[in-house]
Each structure stands twice: as structure tokens, then as C-alpha cells.
Amino acid sequence: MKTSDFDYDLPEEYIAQTPVEPRHASRLLVLHRASGELEHKQFWQIGEYLRPGDLLVINRTRVIPARLYAHKETGGKVELLLLRRVDELRWEALVGGKRMLPGKKVKLEDGLTAVIEAELDGARRMIRFEEAVEGHLERLGHMPLPPYIHERLDDPERYQTVYSQTPGSAAAPTAGLHFTPELIAQLEQQGVAFAGVTLHVGLDTFQPVHEDDPREHQIHTEWCELGEETAAAIRKTKQSGGRVIAVGTTSVRTLESAARHAKADEIVSPFAGPTDLFILPGYTFRAVDVMITNFHLPRSTLLMLVSAFAGRERVLAAYEIAKQHGYRFFSFGDAMLLD
């Protein structure tokens, strides 16, 4: 297995710069894993492929305005992207600026200061603020849109799912951006149930795989939680013949992390903590039956995860057909249903 096996050509014009309105008007490419058949639909038609008794598992994380602008004591500009809260004062962050070494101090626009405590790998640093930074984010923070999006986002809520609840992510769980309250209500009337998990999206959203062999890539941990109520709903769904449908790769990683901690007679166990689960082709899925996901970056861990679920050659062939049909890629792009 090579990282280059997960590469594909994507001209920049295919990368969605703005979201469609309404959310459920995005397109949906349906890939039937058993036959390899493809169907072209709109996302609001997803109910055609769901059955009464199915369970949609959604990630209720909420993106924090994690991009902050600051100055060094010398006046030089610094950009901070908060990735993971370590304790009340300390965060892991991506730091943009020259010579940002341990001991360096920076000051935010309202005077809050922070010090670089440790140099981690690449541009990651451990930062300690003089007081909890959360109270400053609504005033000073900016929505951390991915670097491939160049258009201004006028409504920050458009980079949140309609069901987001728990702040903590550095990026949105983008498969969930296609859902509207109206579509959720329609699916519930159809007999489809919803259950929530939380995974706070962190560094690996911004990190491509650089190693030639993806098995040598060290995936950074992300905090996730699957509670007893959701675990019980999953067990009930499976026992009654329904399917567990993961909305997004973040829900997949949470579900499969909970499956790793399950007892022999259970599908998943309640779980809260960091996960370093890296899903590559050859992985055996224990909890997820169907996946809803967006189109992912070349050579990314997320494309590898989707390939593990539906087959690398089949997924890459579907991506080529999606390009031929003008589908929009990445965070604000269109969706796939892998059943």
C-alpha cells in the first residue's frame, strides 16, 4: 500500500468556494457497494435510500472561532489556530509566524497575552494563555475555514451543522452540513431515527499524508464521546435489523472507536476520550453499515477511510465520474452515500 495509491487530479475549479442554498439542495452521488452502481440525486432525496428502523448517527460538535490574530512583542504579526484544549489555560495550536520558539510571548487584539511553552511537530505549538481564552473567542476569533476556501463566508453559521451543540472543533463535520430541520423532520416521519455523538475535529483535517507508506503516518488524537443512550440505540437498531448510518467520517471514527472498547457481546460500549484510530483498507468495520460523506482531498486520511469502506478503485472511479458530472468537492461541496 502506497500513499500515491490515494492520489487523484483535481483542478481548482472543482473545489466548492461557497455553500449551496438551501443546504439540502446539494447533489448526492449514491454508490452501491455490492454492485458498484452509481446514481445521481439531490441530497433531499436521501430518504429514498433509508428505511424505517435505520439509525443516523450525527456528530454534534460545534466549530469554535479558533483563528486568532496576535502580535509579537517586537510587533510582528502572528496567526494562531487553536486545535485542542489541554487544560484551562493551555492549548495545542498551529502558529504562523517567524521564530515562534518556547518562551516567546504574543498579545491578542484585546491585550490578552500568551506564551509559547513547547515546540511540537511542524507548526504545532503548546500555548499557555494568561487566562482562559474561551471568553475572548466570540469577540476576537474568526471561523477557521480550510485553506482551499478563498471566498468570504458572510454567515458563520453556514459552517456549522444545524444540530451542532458542543463547542470544540477546529473544522466542521462537513457531511452534516447538508441537513436542514425540514429534511430531518421528514426522515423522522419516515421512521428513521437520529442519535448523537461528539468528535472535536482537530489537526488531521489540515494534515496531508507525507509518508510514502500510509501505515507509517502518525495520526493525531481527537477527543470523542459516545454516550450510553446512543450505544443503546445502536444495539437496538442492529438487533431489530436496522442499519447504523454514519453521517461523516467523524461519526465513523467515533463509532468504530466505541466498537474497539466494546465487550464481546456488544457492538459498541459508551466511550469518552482521545482516539487515534486510523482506518486504512483492510480494516473490518464493526459498527457502521452505511456512510454519508463528502468528497475528500487527495492523499488524505479521510479518503483512505472511505476507500477502506467502499474499495479504493471503486471510490476513485466514482470521483472521476463525479468530476465528469460537475460535482463540487470538499467542505462546501456535494455528498456521497455509500450503502
Short mmCIF file of all heavy atoms in Angstrom, two decimals, residues 225-261:
data_model
loop_
_atom_site.label_atom_id
_atom_site.label_comp_id
_atom_site.label_asym_id
_atom_site.label_seq_id
_atom_site.Cartn_x
_atom_site.Cartn_y
_atom_site.Cartn_z
N GLU A 225 -16.80 11.25 22.02
CA GLU A 225 -17.66 10.69 23.06
C GLU A 225 -18.88 10.04 22.42
O GLU A 225 -19.50 10.61 21.51
CB GLU A 225 -18.12 11.79 24.02
CG GLU A 225 -19.04 11.29 25.12
CD GLU A 225 -19.44 12.38 26.10
OE1 GLU A 225 -19.42 13.57 25.72
OE2 GLU A 225 -19.76 12.04 27.26
N LEU A 226 -19.19 8.83 22.89
CA LEU A 226 -20.42 8.14 22.54
C LEU A 226 -21.05 7.70 23.86
O LEU A 226 -20.48 6.89 24.58
CB LEU A 226 -20.11 6.95 21.62
CG LEU A 226 -21.31 6.19 21.02
CD1 LEU A 226 -20.93 5.58 19.67
CD2 LEU A 226 -21.81 5.08 21.95
N GLY A 227 -22.23 8.25 24.16
CA GLY A 227 -22.86 8.01 25.45
C GLY A 227 -23.71 6.75 25.48
O GLY A 227 -23.95 6.09 24.46
N GLU A 228 -24.20 6.43 26.67
CA GLU A 228 -24.99 5.21 26.87
C GLU A 228 -26.27 5.22 26.05
O GLU A 228 -26.68 4.19 25.49
CB GLU A 228 -25.32 5.05 28.36
CG GLU A 228 -26.23 3.86 28.65
CD GLU A 228 -25.70 2.54 28.12
OE1 GLU A 228 -24.52 2.24 28.37
OE2 GLU A 228 -26.47 1.83 27.43
N GLU A 229 -26.93 6.38 25.94
CA GLU A 229 -28.17 6.46 25.18
C GLU A 229 -27.95 6.10 23.71
O GLU A 229 -28.74 5.35 23.11
CB GLU A 229 -28.78 7.85 25.31
CG GLU A 229 -30.14 8.00 24.67
CD GLU A 229 -30.75 9.38 24.86
OE1 GLU A 229 -30.23 10.16 25.69
OE2 GLU A 229 -31.74 9.68 24.19
N THR A 230 -26.87 6.63 23.13
CA THR A 230 -26.55 6.31 21.73
C THR A 230 -26.12 4.86 21.58
O THR A 230 -26.50 4.19 20.62
CB THR A 230 -25.46 7.26 21.21
OG1 THR A 230 -25.99 8.59 21.19
CG2 THR A 230 -25.01 6.88 19.82
N ALA A 231 -25.34 4.35 22.55
CA ALA A 231 -24.93 2.93 22.50
C ALA A 231 -26.14 2.02 22.53
O ALA A 231 -26.22 1.04 21.77
CB ALA A 231 -23.99 2.62 23.66
N ALA A 232 -27.12 2.35 23.37
CA ALA A 232 -28.34 1.54 23.45
C ALA A 232 -29.13 1.61 22.15
O ALA A 232 -29.69 0.60 21.69
CB ALA A 232 -29.20 2.01 24.63
N ALA A 233 -29.19 2.81 21.54
CA ALA A 233 -29.91 2.97 20.27
C ALA A 233 -29.25 2.14 19.17
O ALA A 233 -29.94 1.55 18.32
CB ALA A 233 -29.96 4.44 19.88
N ILE A 234 -27.93 2.08 19.17
CA ILE A 234 -27.21 1.30 18.16
C ILE A 234 -27.49 -0.18 18.35
O ILE A 234 -27.78 -0.90 17.38
CB ILE A 234 -25.70 1.59 18.25
CG1 ILE A 234 -25.42 3.02 17.77
CG2 ILE A 234 -24.90 0.58 17.43
CD1 ILE A 234 -24.03 3.52 18.11
N ARG A 235 -27.44 -0.65 19.59
CA ARG A 235 -27.70 -2.07 19.85
C ARG A 235 -29.13 -2.43 19.45
O ARG A 235 -29.38 -3.47 18.82
CB ARG A 235 -27.44 -2.39 21.32
CG ARG A 235 -25.96 -2.34 21.70
CD ARG A 235 -25.72 -2.95 23.06
NE ARG A 235 -26.20 -2.09 24.14
CZ ARG A 235 -25.45 -1.18 24.77
NH1 ARG A 235 -24.19 -1.00 24.41
NH2 ARG A 235 -25.95 -0.46 25.75
N LYS A 236 -30.08 -1.56 19.78
CA LYS A 236 -31.48 -1.82 19.44
C LYS A 236 -31.67 -1.86 17.92
O LYS A 236 -32.40 -2.71 17.39
CB LYS A 236 -32.36 -0.73 20.05
CG LYS A 236 -33.84 -0.87 19.75
CD LYS A 236 -34.65 0.26 20.37
CE LYS A 236 -36.13 0.16 20.01
NZ LYS A 236 -36.90 1.30 20.58
N THR A 237 -31.02 -0.92 17.22
CA THR A 237 -31.12 -0.87 15.76
C THR A 237 -30.60 -2.16 15.13
O THR A 237 -31.26 -2.75 14.26
CB THR A 237 -30.33 0.34 15.22
OG1 THR A 237 -30.89 1.54 15.74
CG2 THR A 237 -30.35 0.37 13.70
N LYS A 238 -29.44 -2.59 15.56
CA LYS A 238 -28.84 -3.80 14.99
C LYS A 238 -29.71 -5.03 15.28
O LYS A 238 -29.91 -5.89 14.40
CB LYS A 238 -27.44 -3.99 15.56
CG LYS A 238 -26.43 -2.93 15.15
CD LYS A 238 -25.78 -3.25 13.82
CE LYS A 238 -24.55 -2.39 13.61
NZ LYS A 238 -23.85 -2.70 12.34
N GLN A 239 -30.20 -5.11 16.52
CA GLN A 239 -30.99 -6.28 16.92
C GLN A 239 -32.30 -6.38 16.15
O GLN A 239 -32.82 -7.47 15.93
CB GLN A 239 -31.25 -6.24 18.42
CG GLN A 239 -30.00 -6.50 19.25
CD GLN A 239 -30.16 -6.09 20.72
OE1 GLN A 239 -31.23 -5.65 21.14
NE2 GLN A 239 -29.09 -6.22 21.49
N SER A 240 -32.84 -5.21 15.73
CA SER A 240 -34.12 -5.21 15.02
C SER A 240 -33.95 -5.23 13.50
O SER A 240 -34.93 -5.12 12.77
CB SER A 240 -34.94 -3.98 15.44
OG SER A 240 -34.26 -2.79 15.09
N GLY A 241 -32.72 -5.35 13.04
CA GLY A 241 -32.48 -5.46 11.61
C GLY A 241 -32.28 -4.14 10.89
O GLY A 241 -32.20 -4.11 9.66
N GLY A 242 -32.20 -3.04 11.63
CA GLY A 242 -31.93 -1.74 11.03
C GLY A 242 -30.45 -1.54 10.77
O GLY A 242 -29.61 -2.35 11.18
N ARG A 243 -30.14 -0.46 10.11
CA ARG A 243 -28.75 -0.16 9.76
C ARG A 243 -28.26 1.07 10.52
O ARG A 243 -29.01 2.03 10.71
CB ARG A 243 -28.63 0.08 8.26
CG ARG A 243 -29.04 -1.10 7.39
CD ARG A 243 -29.05 -0.74 5.92
NE ARG A 243 -30.00 0.35 5.65
CZ ARG A 243 -30.09 0.99 4.49
NH1 ARG A 243 -29.27 0.69 3.49
NH2 ARG A 243 -30.98 1.94 4.32
N VAL A 244 -26.99 1.04 10.90
CA VAL A 244 -26.34 2.19 11.51
C VAL A 244 -25.66 2.98 10.40
O VAL A 244 -24.76 2.48 9.72
CB VAL A 244 -25.32 1.76 12.58
CG1 VAL A 244 -24.53 2.95 13.08
CG2 VAL A 244 -26.05 1.08 13.74
N ILE A 245 -26.12 4.22 10.22
CA ILE A 245 -25.65 5.06 9.11
C ILE A 245 -24.85 6.21 9.70
O ILE A 245 -25.39 7.06 10.41
CB ILE A 245 -26.84 5.58 8.29
CG1 ILE A 245 -27.63 4.40 7.72
CG2 ILE A 245 -26.37 6.51 7.18
CD1 ILE A 245 -28.99 4.75 7.20
N ALA A 246 -23.56 6.23 9.43
CA ALA A 246 -22.68 7.26 9.97
C ALA A 246 -22.73 8.49 9.08
O ALA A 246 -22.49 8.40 7.87
CB ALA A 246 -21.25 6.76 10.07
N VAL A 247 -23.07 9.63 9.67
CA VAL A 247 -23.05 10.89 8.93
C VAL A 247 -21.65 11.48 9.08
O VAL A 247 -21.33 12.15 10.06
CB VAL A 247 -24.12 11.86 9.45
CG1 VAL A 247 -24.07 13.18 8.67
CG2 VAL A 247 -25.51 11.23 9.33
N GLY A 248 -20.80 11.20 8.10
CA GLY A 248 -19.46 11.76 8.09
C GLY A 248 -18.40 10.84 8.67
O GLY A 248 -18.68 9.93 9.46
N THR A 249 -17.16 11.10 8.27
CA THR A 249 -16.03 10.30 8.74
C THR A 249 -15.79 10.49 10.23
O THR A 249 -15.25 9.60 10.89
CB THR A 249 -14.76 10.67 7.97
OG1 THR A 249 -14.51 12.08 8.09
CG2 THR A 249 -14.89 10.32 6.49
N THR A 250 -16.19 11.64 10.80
CA THR A 250 -16.00 11.84 12.24
C THR A 250 -16.92 10.90 13.02
O THR A 250 -16.52 10.34 14.04
CB THR A 250 -16.26 13.30 12.64
OG1 THR A 250 -17.61 13.68 12.28
CG2 THR A 250 -15.28 14.24 11.95
N SER A 251 -18.15 10.73 12.55
CA SER A 251 -19.05 9.77 13.19
C SER A 251 -18.52 8.35 13.02
O SER A 251 -18.63 7.52 13.94
CB SER A 251 -20.46 9.89 12.61
OG SER A 251 -21.05 11.12 12.95
N VAL A 252 -17.94 8.06 11.85
CA VAL A 252 -17.36 6.73 11.63
C VAL A 252 -16.27 6.46 12.66
O VAL A 252 -16.25 5.39 13.32
CB VAL A 252 -16.77 6.62 10.21
CG1 VAL A 252 -15.98 5.31 10.05
CG2 VAL A 252 -17.87 6.69 9.16
N ARG A 253 -15.35 7.40 12.83
CA ARG A 253 -14.24 7.18 13.77
C ARG A 253 -14.75 7.04 15.20
O ARG A 253 -14.22 6.24 15.98
CB ARG A 253 -13.23 8.32 13.67
CG ARG A 253 -12.44 8.32 12.36
CD ARG A 253 -11.31 9.33 12.39
NE ARG A 253 -10.25 8.91 13.28
CZ ARG A 253 -9.58 9.72 14.09
NH1 ARG A 253 -9.90 11.00 14.15
NH2 ARG A 253 -8.61 9.27 14.85
N THR A 254 -15.78 7.80 15.56
CA THR A 254 -16.33 7.69 16.91
C THR A 254 -16.99 6.34 17.11
O THR A 254 -16.77 5.66 18.13
CB THR A 254 -17.33 8.82 17.17
OG1 THR A 254 -16.72 10.08 16.90
CG2 THR A 254 -17.80 8.80 18.61
N LEU A 255 -17.81 5.92 16.16
CA LEU A 255 -18.48 4.64 16.25
C LEU A 255 -17.49 3.48 16.33
O LEU A 255 -17.63 2.56 17.16
CB LEU A 255 -19.41 4.45 15.05
CG LEU A 255 -20.71 5.26 15.07
CD1 LEU A 255 -21.31 5.34 13.68
CD2 LEU A 255 -21.70 4.62 16.05
N GLU A 256 -16.50 3.51 15.47
CA GLU A 256 -15.55 2.40 15.44
C GLU A 256 -14.60 2.44 16.63
O GLU A 256 -14.14 1.39 17.09
CB GLU A 256 -14.78 2.41 14.12
CG GLU A 256 -15.64 2.13 12.89
CD GLU A 256 -16.29 0.74 12.92
OE1 GLU A 256 -15.63 -0.22 13.38
OE2 GLU A 256 -17.46 0.62 12.48
N SER A 257 -14.35 3.63 17.18
CA SER A 257 -13.57 3.71 18.42
C SER A 257 -14.35 3.10 19.57
O SER A 257 -13.79 2.37 20.41
CB SER A 257 -13.22 5.18 18.73
OG SER A 257 -12.37 5.73 17.75
N ALA A 258 -15.65 3.38 19.63
CA ALA A 258 -16.50 2.78 20.67
C ALA A 258 -16.62 1.27 20.46
O ALA A 258 -16.75 0.52 21.44
CB ALA A 258 -17.88 3.43 20.65
N ALA A 259 -16.57 0.82 19.22
CA ALA A 259 -16.61 -0.62 18.96
C ALA A 259 -15.34 -1.30 19.44
O ALA A 259 -15.38 -2.46 19.90
CB ALA A 259 -16.81 -0.87 17.46
N ARG A 260 -14.21 -0.60 19.36
CA ARG A 260 -12.95 -1.17 19.84
C ARG A 260 -12.99 -1.43 21.34
O ARG A 260 -12.30 -2.31 21.84
CB ARG A 260 -11.77 -0.22 19.54
CG ARG A 260 -11.30 -0.22 18.10
CD ARG A 260 -9.87 0.25 17.97
NE ARG A 260 -9.67 1.62 18.41
CZ ARG A 260 -8.50 2.25 18.36
NH1 ARG A 260 -7.43 1.65 17.88
NH2 ARG A 260 -8.39 3.51 18.77
N HIS A 261 -13.77 -0.62 22.06
CA HIS A 261 -13.84 -0.74 23.51
C HIS A 261 -15.03 -1.61 23.96
O HIS A 261 -15.28 -1.75 25.15
CB HIS A 261 -13.97 0.65 24.15
CG HIS A 261 -12.73 1.48 24.01
ND1 HIS A 261 -12.43 2.18 22.86
CD2 HIS A 261 -11.70 1.69 24.86
CE1 HIS A 261 -11.28 2.81 23.03
NE2 HIS A 261 -10.81 2.54 24.22
#
